[in-house]
Amino acid sequence: TKDVLVVTAPRSGAEVIPFLKTYVQLPASISFAVLYSKLSNATSQERIFYGIISFFLVFFLLFAFVVYPNVGILHPHGLADTLAATLPSSFSSPIAILRNWSFALFYMMAELWGSVVVSVLFWGLSNRIMTLREAKRYYPLFGL
């Protein structure tokens, strides 16, 4: 759904996805890695896990019930139209990201959810709460 949301957004298209991955997702992933390492030094793994899960849950609920219903008000179409008329056509993808900023934010958060929460946080918490004997028994089931 994240790809469809971005590709079908007004004055956007599939050419926006490489820009999102490079200029939005990559910096967000690096920033999260820095934040995660600082949090790991400051608090317990369990608190980090539940805090980040709560943050993502609140974001997706706010997006579904507040941001998405109000995209007509929140998206700066006038500014994007002015930039599109002023800048060369090679700026069409960054302008489309600005025009549909909430969709780009949703794309970034959905990508972070898949890479961060499912892999890093889940396996980090699993390694902390399971003994070696339990891990040998249950980890093969997680790989299914």
Side-chain angles (χ1 to χ4, degrees):
T1 60
K2 67 182 181 346
D3 294 322
V4 172
L5 195 62
V6 170
V7 170
T8 61
R11 297 190 187 154
S12 186
E15 68 276 359
V16 172
I17 291 178
F19 281 87
L20 279 171
K21 290 198 180 277
T22 305
Y23 299 112
V24 176
Q25 192 60 39
L26 181 62
S29 297
I30 292 169
S31 299
F32 181 83
V34 170
L35 175 68
Y36 181 76
S37 71
K38 290 190 183 295
L39 287 173
S40 293
N41 293 332
T43 188
S44 71
Q45 187 71 24
E46 189 172 350
R47 288 185 83 162
I48 295 170
F49 179 80
Y50 288 117
I52 291 175
I53 293 290
S54 299
F55 174 76
F56 275 98
L57 179 64
V58 168
F59 171 79
F60 287 123
L61 286 172
L62 282 174
F63 185 84
F65 295 108
V66 177
V67 175
Y68 188 73
N70 296 303
V71 293
I73 299 166
L74 295 172
H75 286 179
H77 294 292
L79 173 63
D81 290 339
T82 303
L83 289 173
T86 307
L87 297 172
S89 63
S90 58
F91 283 88
S92 64
S93 292
I95 292 171
I97 291 171
L98 173 68
R99 177 187 305 276
N100 302 297
W101 66 268
S102 67
F103 299 160
L105 183 62
F106 181 84
Y107 186 93
M108 179 193 74
M109 293 297 284
E111 284 281 324
L112 281 176
W113 172 264
S115 61
V116 169
V117 173
V118 174
S119 59
V120 174
L121 292 179
F122 172 76
W123 288 110
L125 184 64
S126 298
N127 288 335
R128 296 253 176 160
I129 63 173
M130 287 195 175
T131 65
L132 182 59
R133 186 171 152 250
E134 290 171 330
K136 287 180 182 179
R137 182 176 178 187
Y138 294 114
Y139 278 14
L141 296 174
F142 293 152
L144 298 176

